[in-house]
Amino acid sequence: MLRSSKTHVKALHTCITHAMVITVSLALALIALLSYRIKNELPPAVRVFFSTMYLLFPSCFNPIIYGIRTTEIRQHMQKTLTHWKRF
């Protein structure tokens, strides 16, 4: 895999995408944890939001990210969006 530059770049992009999703979900988990540990003036709804988002973010955004990164899906989305702009 590392001998071919094309597959090396593709693997690097995949790792970067995973790292971004993991970083955001860990940041959300840290915010959720700290909001419960530190007694602050955050409303309970905000605490529940962060607690839910760190669980839902990776499972919801991974398919979106990989769908946008897939050439065929991206081209179809661009075609659909330019078709909607005409109306």
Side-chain angles (χ1 to χ4, degrees):
M1 177 180 90
L2 296 177
R3 292 184 184 156
S4 173
S5 64
K6 187 175 182 179
T7 56
H8 180 67
V9 170
K10 187 174 181 178
L12 184 64
H13 284 279
T14 302
C15 289
I16 289 172
T17 305
H18 279 297
M20 288 186 332
V21 170
I22 288 171
T23 302
V24 170
S25 43
L26 287 177
L28 289 169
L30 182 65
I31 291 170
L33 175 77
L34 291 176
S35 71
Y36 284 102
R37 296 288 294 171
I38 299 172
K39 300 297 180 197
N40 53 14
E41 301 299 321
L42 281 177
V46 173
R47 291 181 183 170
V48 170
F49 173 76
F50 282 119
S51 298
T52 307
M53 282 307 295
Y54 92 88
L55 292 172
L56 293 178
F57 182 80
S59 60
C60 292
F61 282 97
N62 263 338
I64 293 170
I65 290 169
Y66 289 114
I68 291 172
R69 293 182 54 87
T70 304
T71 307
E72 294 85 12
I73 296 173
R74 186 176 54 237
Q75 288 173 349
H76 182 69
M77 286 173 46
Q78 287 174 346
K79 184 179 172 183
T80 303
L81 289 174
T82 56
H83 179 72
W84 283 353
K85 285 183 182 179
R86 292 181 190 161
F87 290 119

